[in-house]
Amino acid sequence: MNDTLTRLRYRMFSDRMVGELLSKSWIDSAIPAFFLLIVVLAASLLTTDFWATGNLGDLGRQVAEFGLQGIGLTIVILSGGIDLSIGSAFALTVLVCLVSMNVLGLPVGVALLATLATGFACGLLNGILIGYLRLRAFITTLVTLVIYRAIYDILFPRLASAIVGNTPDSAIWDFVGFGTVLGIPVSFVIFALLAFLLHIGLSRLRPGWRLRAVGGARRSAHNAGINVKRTVCSAYVASGLLTAIAAFLFSARLGSTGADTGIGLEISVLTAVVLGGVSLGGGRGAVGNAIIGAVLVLILTNSLIRLALPGSVNQLLLGVVLILAVLFDAKWVKNRGKILNKLYVSPAYLSLAPRREANPDPYVLNDRLGATELIGLGEVEGPEDVILDEDDNLYTGTRHGTIERFWAPDYVRRETFAAVGGHPLGLNFDRDGNLLTCVGGMGVYKVAPDGTVAKVTDETNRSLLSIIDDSRLRLPDDLDVAPDGRIFFSEATIRYDMSEWATDALEGRGNGRLICHDPRSGTTRTVLRGLIFPNGITVCRDGQSLLFAETWACRINRYWFDGPKKGHREIFMDNLPGYPDNINRGSDGTFWVALLGMRTKTFDLAMRKPGFRRRMARQIASDEWLFPNINRGCVVHVSAEGAVLEVFWDRGGANHPSITSTCEHKGYLYMGGVSNNRVGRVKLEGADPTWTARSDYWEGR
Amino acid sequence: MRQMIRRWAVAAALVLASATAVQADNQGLENPRSTDFHESLKGKKVVFVPLSMGFDLTEGWAAVMRQQAKRLDYSFEIRDPAWSTDAGTRALSQLITEKPDLIVLHNPDIQSYARLIKQAQSAGIKIVQINLESNSTSDSYVGADWTEIGEQAAQAVVDKCDTGKGVSTKIAIDTGVPTAASDVFQLNGIYRVLKQHPAIQVVSQQSTEYNAEKARAIMDTVLQQHPDLCGAIGIWDNQDTGTASAIQQAGKSNQVFLVTSGGGNKVGCENVDKGLFNLYISYNVPLQGEILNEEIARLLQSKSAAGEVKTMYFTPLTQITKANSNPRNCWTLDDLK
Amino acid sequence: MLQAISRWLRGEESGISVPPMDGVLKPNNKLESAERLLVLPAVDNLATDGTSAYCSSGKVLYRLKREGDLFGAEPAGEFEGPVTCIATGPGRIAVGVQGKGILVFDGRDGWRQHDLPSPLSSCATAADFCPDGKLIVCVGSQRNAASDWKRDLLENGHTGSILSIDESGRIETLRGALAFPYGIIAHGVDDFVYSESWRYRLTESRGSGVVLADLPAYPARLARAADGGLWLSLFAPRRQLFEMVLREHDYRREMMSTIPPSDWIGPELNSEGGPDQPLQAGSVRQMGIIKPWAPSRSYGLVVKCNPSGHPVASWHSRADGTMHGITSVLEFGDDVLVTAKGANTLLRLPREAEA
């Protein structure tokens, strides 16, 4: 009863969403966005007519100017620096703009150019000092703050009367300051356009990536060939230009400037940017963060003014909010990785039938693998799959990303056949003799007989309802080739990478899928979803169905991909005493199944207790987790109907504790293990000494 | 005979009626104008947007305005921008959407609120500007005539420092915020007078941004450069406490004739008594407050639209010297509360 | 107290930590490389009366004879059940037999049996004679036999006690509600030091109480050292997983009711065991080897403490070794003998050990 309840609960409410959401890159913006929502709600409740067009239009204009500066500061912070001079630069550019318009009476376009040129110059000075001369950003911008302010303080009094004495007579000027487009203020439209372009640039285009690289890890960016100095300088120039545009909008709106223009602006913009979620350390942040923060700060300050609190209280409150935001940011950045690790593993309920012991028990322990011949002892690490070609040479993948070839007949001479990368797992030859391989972490690759490596596919169609981007292939495991050349391969899990494959065992959920790639059309499509760690695949001799193993479910399934039974799926072998890995054809119409580990009663019990496993994943170190027993494995010889013919064990477990793949070739059985450093070979009594997999597949039988 | 009796009866009835009428207590007449007055003001909303709260001028005005608001039963609110022009523009923009009945506005400079004032007036909000004008006119202005103050100050300094009158003909001018009404128009007044006395040399003209410490530092430097300084004109007493203390520290209180202007509160008067200020031109905050109140009441009652009729009233100035600094010219905040 | 508050504040999540083996307890291979003297099945219970040394192997009591530099074992008695403890005094030897009680042999009257009332009779884990002739006995548990110690651990057992038995056979309970006392050194009925396995600590009967707390492994028997200190053997390691299972009542109960004890998650005397042994992630054989620091269900550890109770030296056999399950240790003349019950081997520590 308890079990049924547990099963239902875990079927209906899956905890995986929390962990997957946290692993998304935009999660850093989610929390400030949430706060923004709360603040907007509070403001609309506390102040009347928050949503009146007048108020929103007003807010829009303020957001335009403040937001542009926020984006500028975000760009600088993304590059790993900080710009304290934006307030003074703002004042200076406002002065230039107003002088051009009011005093000199220049046309709007020229005034805009002059303003931009001033902003450019201010930014360039910062950029050269910090980017090229490698001065410290904080001190340098503090100094330029003082310098620009001083210039403003000197020039402003002389020009003040002239500025306030004249009003420019330009329709465009008034339009920019006060106009609306379909009810939306013009300055907001300009801002929205710029923000959109900058967002694309920062997140999708190379300059943005380079900027983040420099901010996140300066030395590595330099080593990767990015021109760090130029990137940093351009960040400050960008900030200067954005400040100039903000100044232009401000001047159009107010038409005058005072002695206190821009004073304290750098603090408010910094508050906004940090509140919005941009990390002060550099490398993390987006335009969205700047906008969220700007809107937050503006709504906050406006509401405070509206509540008629004394001005000093407003400043105090804003300061407190900034401190809290910075503290939270620091904690979050430090602990995000840890929290994600704790929350990501979401075990599900998996119930395996109790093992029946048949009489006689074919799984009784023996030592038929005790005296294997060893190939490549210590020379190959992680030979997950082994295969032989028509010249009897042995191929196997290693965790160093290479496919090694051992020359027949003694298998002592070895060479690196191909350097693919990742960890080549399943191996199969196609009709033309190309070696197809599933590479863990990368995709499906093909190696021509001369050793050239080509990619077959590394993506499939994305499922709509998956939070994780499952168009990438994280752990393609084994593959097989159908008679018409279609490649069917398994992706063991979409939630974990090669290095953490065993954590999927702890989850026991159907995280894997069966995928088909058609070389004739070049398309890749997901065929079956929700499989529990699909592993070995082999096409049956009818050419219309295939067998695939579901490792943690301890069963092998058969799926028809062609013919009258197309789409039908049934269980081929159930309730295995261990975890099946690769399946390959054997002589006489049989199959070989490698069991990479054996079931233990305690682990089977744990699979029915998802709460226990979840607490285990959170409370104790990953080294201490309960695990499927992959220190013992065996090879099972199976008939075409799924009956166990014989079982091969390594009793001592010294040579082959865990076997992930076997290959029968001319009367010998070859074995490999993904955690092992050797390939084994044992003679099969009574097996057909001429039988090879190639002949079975392509030469008709 | 019967007719006579009827006539006498009617007359008797009349006499009786009027007698009873006369014999009731005299409870007076309802005054429709008073009722109207109170009705038209009741429940209205007045908002004060100062430069900032927390100093004598705005606290004084606010105290006086609050009292009338209490007396006449309309709401009085303050939106405090705390010296920030940006916050002030935002407050004003918000008020335009909120549509109070009347805004009392204190302009940080002559241009910043100009457009917003026009917008507010077209939105139907009546505006009274207090003491610091904007380029845009509105329903009313109550405050000092800065040009007049400048002229008076310059004249006083000229009287002390023209050729042969003082230790030299050098004077220093310290201004506040270059774009504020108090600066632009006062400077105009000062130079109008000085042009007629070309002997007077202006050796320094700097803006202090209402900061006493800055004023002190400036005067310090000026005195070091021109130890024979004869006179100084400051545009506001709150900042000129700095100027005065610099002069005093240099020991030149008897030499330098310092003219300043302000709201006329007790502290300023005490400074005059102490000899720190030689001439204090007061625009008399309590008086301004009363006039403000009158304008508020008038505009709230008035049926005309906002901005239809624009008036201004430049308040009278009092020159306070040691001789006439007395309680009538000087006020404290407690007096007004 | 402060710890309890901080644990309550932080919530359940924080309690699962096992003290690391560091400082004096830094792992080494000295036990693994120690001299292997004899192989006897389930060798245990070293004791000496000054002239001869004794040990047990299953139901048989052995006397150890020096043969040159080595030792030979000759049988000195056989009993009806497994021998669970041995204590020696001047001219006397007491043996605890599972299911029977305590048998004392004092040379004159042969073997005299002291019956222990039934709940106490199966689990006499350690014993020591006082100078005044009284025998102090540790009874590990009233609910489980000595060979069923794993069940007692997983039940969070705390029904152990310490008894004193005088020459007439009168039994007096000195301590109760203990969590599997497994070793004792007695100077008198009110002056003794004992180890409490499931609370992984050494306690003394007077003074401040706890001598050594929060040990990284479960302590077994104690032995006197010539310099006034003591020897401590620790028979199985503590692991985070085991501590966690002890708190997971649902899983633990179902495991104990549906799975045979040898396959339970928990410490063992050795790491051989059958096919259904639970495995931990770090114990997976990678590239053919198991790392020494891999989480292992068994471990070999002997610790020497100085007279004030502080550890000064330790001998280990790690995850890649076999000399695990140290249940008793003995100083015999110049030699320090150690029984690795999990490996059925009698070891002698290298001579430069004592200093």
Side-chain angles (χ1 to χ4, degrees):
Chain A
M1 178 58 193
N2 215 357
D3 262 11
T4 331
L5 278 175
T6 321
R7 187 162 46 90
L8 282 173
R9 176 258 190 252
Y10 280 94
R11 174 93 47 89
M12 295 205 290
F13 304 107
S14 175
D15 305 325
R16 56 190 292 184
M17 310 265 268
V18 177
E20 287 172 14
L21 278 173
L22 270 183
S23 64
K24 285 283 181 188
S25 62
W26 42 257
I27 193 71
D28 285 339
S29 310
I31 294 175
F34 180 66
F35 274 124
L36 179 61
L37 214 61
I38 294 183
V39 166
V40 166
L41 272 166
S44 46
L45 288 175
L46 286 175
T47 53
T48 48
D49 54 87
F50 180 81
W51 298 105
T53 16
N55 191 28
L56 285 182
D58 214 39
L59 192 61
R61 288 204 182 83
Q62 291 169 23
V63 167
E65 294 157 25
F66 198 62
L68 278 175
Q69 295 222 274
I71 297 177
L73 189 59
T74 302
I75 293 179
V76 167
I77 292 184
L78 271 180
S79 80
I82 195 168
D83 190 347
L84 295 176
S85 62
I86 46 177
S88 315
F90 180 73
L92 207 51
T93 37
V94 164
L95 188 65
V96 167
C97 186
L98 286 175
V99 164
S100 316
M101 288 301 298
N102 291 19
V103 178
L104 299 175
L106 298 170
V108 178
V110 179
L112 178 61
L113 276 174
T115 319
L116 288 174
T118 318
F120 182 83
C122 292
L124 190 64
L125 180 60
N126 278 332
I128 292 179
L129 290 175
I130 299 173
Y132 285 95
L133 294 183
R134 300 283 307 264
L135 298 181
R136 296 219 159 275
F138 190 87
I139 280 288
T140 312
T141 52
L142 204 54
V143 168
T144 46
L145 178 157
V146 172
I147 293 178
Y148 297 154
R149 193 88 227 158
I151 298 177
Y152 180 77
D153 281 341
I154 293 173
L155 292 177
F156 171 64
R158 291 167 215 245
L159 299 164
S161 314
I163 292 178
V164 297
N166 304 304
T167 341
D169 190 19
S170 161
I172 305 181
W173 185 246
D174 291 338
F175 182 62
V176 170
F178 285 95
T180 58
V181 174
L182 301 173
I184 306 175
V186 170
S187 51
F188 190 77
V189 169
I190 296 176
F191 162 73
L193 206 66
L194 277 172
F196 179 71
L197 289 171
L198 285 167
H199 172 68
I200 300 281
L202 278 181
S203 59
R204 306 267 190 270
L205 298 180
R206 275 203 204 102
W209 300 337
R210 290 202 188 110
L211 192 68
R212 282 161 198 274
V214 167
R218 199 176 164 121
R219 185 115 282 263
S220 311
H222 176 74
N223 291 341
I226 297 177
N227 189 338
V228 169
K229 292 182 178 171
R230 189 169 61 199
T231 312
V232 169
C233 181
S234 49
Y236 286 93
V237 168
S239 166
L241 284 172
L242 285 169
T243 305
I245 301 177
F248 182 75
L249 296 174
F250 175 88
S251 312
R253 180 166 65 93
L254 282 182
S256 92
T257 175
D260 65 341
T261 308
I263 289 192
L265 187 62
E266 58 277 333
I267 303 291
S268 345
V269 176
L270 187 61
T271 310
V273 160
V274 172
L275 264 184
V278 176
S279 172
L280 282 174
R284 299 188 77 86
V287 164
N289 293 40
I291 299 178
I292 292 175
V295 177
L296 246 175
V297 166
L298 283 173
I299 292 185
L300 257 174
T301 44
N302 282 357
S303 309
L304 288 174
I305 292 180
R306 197 166 252 223
L307 292 175
L309 293 172
S312 32
V313 174
N314 294 1
Q315 305 280 54
L316 180 66
L317 281 175
L318 217 57
V320 168
V321 169
L322 177 60
I323 289 182
L324 289 176
V326 170
L327 275 177
F328 182 79
D329 170 59
K331 284 272 173 200
W332 171 250
V333 167
K334 196 168 82 151
N335 291 319
R336 181 168 169 263
K338 256 199 285 179
I339 295 176
L340 183 62
N341 277 340
K342 281 199 186 296
L343 292 182
Y344 191 72
V345 180
S346 350
Y349 180 87
L350 177 63
S351 171
L352 296 171
R355 290 172 281 161
R356 320 166 237 98
E357 307 229 311
N359 203 352
D361 183 12
Y363 290 102
V364 76
L365 201 62
N366 58 45
D367 202 22
R368 297 175 74 172
L369 298 178
T372 51
E373 285 172 53
L374 295 178
I375 300 174
L377 172 62
E379 293 172 34
V380 286
E381 295 196 354
E384 206 258 358
D385 198 357
V386 296
I387 198 169
L388 290 95
D389 65 7
E390 38 190 6
D391 301 323
D392 300 345
N393 300 317
L394 181 94
Y395 298 83
T396 181
T398 70
R399 67 178 182 174
H400 299 298
T402 60
I403 298 182
E404 303 289 314
R405 170 161 58 190
F406 288 88
W407 295 101
D410 52 347
Y411 303 115
V412 169
R413 278 176 313 136
R414 171 181 65 89
E415 68 163 1
T416 301
F417 176 55
V420 184
H423 186 163
L425 299 172
L427 295 166
N428 246 356
F429 281 106
D430 69 1
R431 191 190 287 273
D432 308 315
N434 297 310
L435 182 59
L436 295 164
T437 170
C438 280
V439 183
M442 286 166 60
V444 179
Y445 281 70
K446 174 168 74 174
V447 186
D450 62 353
T452 30
V453 179
K455 181 178 76 174
V456 173
T457 178
D458 66 353
E459 60 177 356
T460 176
N461 53 314
R462 194 200 199 292
S463 44
L464 284 170
L465 293 178
S466 168
I467 298 179
I468 294 180
D469 180 6
D470 61 352
S471 61
R472 310 169 15 234
L473 295 178
R474 283 174 102 148
L475 192 47
D477 209 316
D478 194 21
L479 55 84
D480 205 353
V481 188
D484 58 357
R486 267 181 299 173
I487 301 173
F488 286 89
F489 63 99
S490 58
E491 189 182 11
T493 169
I494 59 172
R495 294 193 91 227
Y496 294 97
D497 287 317
M498 179 74 204
S499 54
E500 317 161 296
W501 64 271
T503 316
D504 194 79
L506 211 62
E507 283 204 357
R509 187 193 288 109
N511 289 331
R513 47 198 179 154
L514 182 66
I515 307 176
C516 172
H517 172 81
D518 192 341
R520 296 168 298 186
S521 59
T523 53
T524 314
R525 278 283 167 276
T526 306
V527 174
L528 289 177
R529 280 195 178 79
L531 306 175
I532 303 182
F533 211 89
N535 209 331
I537 293 200
T538 194
V539 171
C540 296
R541 289 179 178 85
D542 62 357
Q544 294 178 344
S545 61
L546 53 82
L547 297 178
F548 68 91
E550 276 188 286
T551 305
W552 310 130
C554 303
R555 62 174 172 239
I556 300 178
N557 301 303
R558 186 168 181 180
Y559 171 75
W560 276 262
F561 56 87
D562 251 353
K565 279 171 103 174
K566 176 169 177 176
H568 178 69
R569 176 169 125 200
E570 68 181 21
I571 296 182
F572 179 72
M573 282 182 80
D574 199 6
N575 206 6
L576 291 166
Y579 303 107
D581 200 302
N582 280 351
I583 310 174
N584 281 308
R585 289 194 195 172
S587 57
D588 257 350
T590 58
F591 294 99
W592 292 96
V593 179
L595 296 188
L596 80 103
M598 305 310 290
R599 284 164 61 175
T600 57
K601 297 202 187 73
T602 38
F603 195 76
D604 284 354
L605 175 63
M607 291 311 273
R608 296 204 300 277
K609 308 272 176 210
F612 171 71
R613 281 177 282 137
R614 187 174 56 242
R615 283 187 290 276
M616 184 165 68
R618 286 186 198 175
Q619 292 176 11
I620 63 181
S622 58
D623 234 22
E624 294 259 340
W625 292 347
L626 196 62
F627 217 65
N629 191 343
I630 60 176
N631 275 354
R632 297 176 67 246
C634 62
V635 178
V636 184
H637 199 189
V638 169
S639 75
E641 294 78 36
V644 176
L645 301 172
E646 47 184 353
V647 179
F648 293 73
W649 294 92
D650 178 356
R651 191 198 291 268
N655 275 328
H656 299 288
S658 148
I659 303 167
T660 51
S661 180
T662 59
C663 175
E664 182 183 339
H665 187 85
K666 292 189 179 162
Y668 281 87
L669 190 65
Y670 297 81
M671 291 153 285
V674 75
S675 315
N676 213 343
N677 61 349
R678 65 204 80 185
V679 172
R681 172 173 112 127
V682 74
K683 186 148 176 41
L684 292 170
E685 303 302 325
D688 182 351
T690 59
W691 187 92
T692 64
R694 188 174 174 75
S695 61
D696 200 74
Y697 272 89
W698 306 116
E699 284 149 30
R701 253 301 195 96
Chain B
M1 190 61 189
R2 206 165 285 134
Q3 266 203 327
M4 269 228 4
I5 296 176
R6 202 183 298 136
R7 223 180 277 137
W8 277 113
V10 169
L14 277 170
V15 170
L16 211 59
S18 45
T20 30
V22 165
Q23 256 162 25
D25 276 327
N26 194 346
Q27 289 192 334
L29 275 179
E30 185 201 327
N31 185 348
R33 287 160 294 283
S34 165
T35 321
D36 267 343
F37 181 71
H38 284 99
E39 285 304 310
S40 63
L41 294 176
K42 194 162 172 198
K44 293 252 160 88
K45 185 166 169 205
V46 172
V47 180
F48 178 32
V49 182
L51 216 54
S52 167
M53 293 310 290
F55 65 98
D56 58 336
L57 301 177
T58 49
E59 292 287 345
W61 295 322
V64 177
M65 286 195 278
R66 226 179 259 126
Q67 286 208 324
Q68 173 162 291
K70 224 186 324 182
R71 176 172 78 89
L72 294 178
D73 204 14
Y74 56 84
S75 90
F76 177 72
E77 234 181 74
I78 304 180
R79 300 282 162 90
D80 180 4
W83 299 107
S84 159
T85 315
D86 186 48
T89 42
R90 279 202 259 150
L92 201 47
S93 310
Q94 276 178 15
L95 284 173
I96 294 177
T97 56
E98 280 178 56
K99 294 220 197 342
D101 295 289
L102 187 136
I103 299 178
V104 178
L105 198 55
H106 196 200
N107 289 283
D109 64 57
I110 60 176
Q111 190 72 341
S112 291
Y113 293 170
R115 276 194 179 142
L116 291 167
I117 291 175
K118 287 208 192 87
Q119 276 187 332
Q121 299 259 267
S122 6
I125 306 172
K126 302 195 176 151
I127 295 187
V128 179
Q129 300 182 46
I130 171 73
N131 216 34
L132 288 173
E133 308 162 57
S134 164
N135 270 346
S136 296
T137 42
S138 62
D139 293 290
S140 174
Y141 170 77
V142 174
D145 183 347
W146 296 102
T147 320
E148 197 183 332
I149 294 181
E151 287 175 347
Q152 287 188 5
Q155 192 56 53
V157 156
V158 158
D159 286 342
K160 281 286 186 315
C161 297
D162 213 351
T163 341
K165 297 224 178 105
V167 68
S168 71
T169 55
K170 294 183 183 164
I171 64 163
I173 305 179
D174 67 75
T175 61
V177 168
T179 44
S182 47
D183 266 38
V184 249
F185 301 131
Q186 203 177 143
L187 281 174
N188 178 261
I190 293 172
Y191 277 103
R192 249 198 242 168
V193 169
L194 289 184
K195 257 205 267 270
Q196 295 169 349
H197 299 269
I200 301 284
Q201 263 183 301
V202 177
V203 297
S204 152
Q205 178 175 324
Q206 303 221 38
S207 83
T208 65
E209 278 148 36
Y210 306 138
N211 189 328
E213 178 49 42
K214 205 162 171 195
R216 197 200 60 76
I218 291 173
M219 181 46 76
D220 224 5
T221 322
V222 169
L223 285 175
Q224 282 177 9
Q225 290 175 333
H226 303 275
D228 57 345
L229 188 72
C230 173
I233 304 179
I235 63 118
W236 192 30
D237 65 334
N238 280 16
Q239 88 203 21
D240 286 322
T241 49
T243 318
S245 95
I247 297 175
Q248 193 184 49
Q249 268 193 327
K252 301 209 189 251
S253 298
N254 294 328
Q255 172 189 312
V256 181
F257 186 82
L258 178 57
V259 183
T260 184
S261 58
N265 80 343
K266 194 120 200 326
V267 175
C269 291
E270 278 167 11
N271 282 337
V272 173
D273 287 336
K274 283 190 225 159
L276 291 168
F277 297 144
N278 298 97
L279 174 63
Y280 186 109
I281 304 176
S282 157
Y283 27 85
N284 205 326
V285 160
L287 179 59
Q288 284 181 324
E290 295 301 336
I291 302 174
L292 249 184
N293 274 345
E294 194 278 321
E295 287 293 279
I296 292 174
R298 178 180 68 83
L299 285 169
L300 285 180
Q301 286 177 66
S302 155
K303 302 269 190 298
S304 53
E308 209 179 304
V309 181
K310 297 183 181 164
T311 62
M312 53 209 72
Y313 184 73
F314 292 101
T315 54
L317 303 167
T318 320
Q319 288 199 357
I320 302 180
T321 59
K322 242 191 201 147
N324 66 343
S325 96
N326 56 47
R328 195 183 89 85
N329 292 331
C330 310
W331 58 275
T332 63
L333 195 53
D334 294 328
D335 294 342
L336 303 174
K337 285 211 177 133
Chain C
M1 165 81 169
L2 224 63
Q3 244 194 4
I5 293 181
S6 72
R7 204 178 306 144
W8 172 76
L9 278 174
R10 275 177 288 150
E12 268 297 314
E13 305 234 341
S14 66
I16 304 187
S17 67
V18 171
M21 294 207 201
D22 206 358
V24 176
L25 294 177
K26 194 141 176 268
N28 53 48
N29 256 329
K30 293 188 193 157
L31 205 58
E32 183 67 17
S33 54
E35 197 182 336
R36 298 174 196 190
L37 298 173
L38 289 174
V39 174
L40 287 170
V43 62
D44 198 0
N45 294 315
L46 285 167
T48 177
D49 56 7
T51 42
S52 343
Y54 296 91
C55 73
S56 71
S57 167
K59 297 182 184 168
V60 181
L61 173 68
Y62 282 89
R63 183 182 295 114
L64 296 169
K65 276 191 352 254
R66 282 190 193 279
E67 288 163 7
D69 199 27
L70 299 174
F71 282 86
E74 62 175 17
E78 188 161 343
F79 303 91
E80 287 166 32
V83 173
T84 55
C85 64
I86 301 177
T88 48
R92 265 174 307 175
I93 177 167
V95 165
V97 177
Q98 184 165 316
K100 303 277 311 165
I102 305 285
L103 288 91
V104 183
F105 179 87
D106 58 8
R108 304 180 313 234
D109 313 317
W111 287 100
R112 198 155 50 104
Q113 170 156 337
H114 293 289
D115 283 317
L116 295 174
S118 151
L120 303 169
S121 60
S122 300
C123 201
T125 49
D128 198 23
F129 275 104
C130 295
D132 64 0
K134 283 216 178 93
L135 180 66
I136 313 282
V137 176
C138 289
V139 174
S141 164
Q142 290 180 14
R143 300 180 50 178
N144 295 299
S147 47
D148 245 350
W149 57 267
K150 195 164 174 187
R151 185 184 292 271
D152 198 63
L153 166 62
L154 284 171
E155 281 176 359
N156 284 313
H158 47 269
T159 55
S161 50
I162 298 185
L163 318 168
S164 82
I165 308 180
D166 67 6
E167 273 134 357
S168 59
R170 201 165 45 112
I171 300 173
E172 191 188 320
T173 308
L174 301 174
R175 290 274 188 283
L178 297 177
F180 211 82
Y182 200 167
I184 185 148
I185 295 179
H187 306 291
V189 287
D190 48 5
D191 182 7
F192 51 88
V193 178
Y194 63 92
S195 68
E196 212 177 332
S197 293
W198 311 150
R199 292 200 183 120
Y200 23 88
R201 63 184 184 193
L202 290 190
T203 317
E204 62 178 2
S205 63
R206 19 165 240 193
S208 50
V210 177
V211 175
L212 266 186
D214 219 14
L215 292 164
Y218 300 109
R221 297 201 185 82
L222 309 169
R224 290 176 175 78
D227 62 358
L230 57 80
W231 290 92
L232 173 63
S233 59
L234 298 111
F235 70 96
R238 285 173 64 194
R239 296 237 76 89
Q240 284 185 338
L241 183 63
F242 306 160
E243 306 275 310
M244 192 196 157
V245 167
L246 285 175
R247 293 167 182 233
E248 289 281 331
H249 306 304
D250 176 44
Y251 180 84
R252 193 165 42 89
R253 273 188 225 116
E254 202 168 325
M255 177 179 76
M256 288 168 72
S257 56
T258 55
I259 299 176
S262 53
D263 298 330
W264 289 349
I265 296 176
E268 278 295 343
L269 291 177
N270 58 42
S271 285
E272 275 131 53
D276 266 296
Q277 297 296 294
L279 190 72
Q280 288 181 270
S283 322
V284 171
R285 197 180 271 272
Q286 293 275 3
M287 306 303 135
I289 49 178
I290 292 186
K291 297 280 193 278
W293 55 82
S296 157
R297 307 173 68 214
S298 62
Y299 202 77
L301 181 56
V302 174
V303 174
K304 167 96 180 9
C305 299
N306 66 10
S308 37
H310 297 128
V312 293
S314 62
W315 293 256
H316 300 245
S317 169
R318 304 177 76 182
D320 56 348
T322 48
M323 297 292 117
H324 294 169
I326 314 295
T327 49
S328 66
V329 61
L330 177 72
E331 245 188 50
F332 183 48
D334 281 341
D335 298 318
V336 180
L337 301 175
V338 167
T339 53
K341 189 169 179 184
N344 306 318
T345 310
L346 179 71
L347 304 167
R348 171 165 60 194
L349 296 183
R351 243 168 260 261
E352 40 82 16
E354 314 125 55

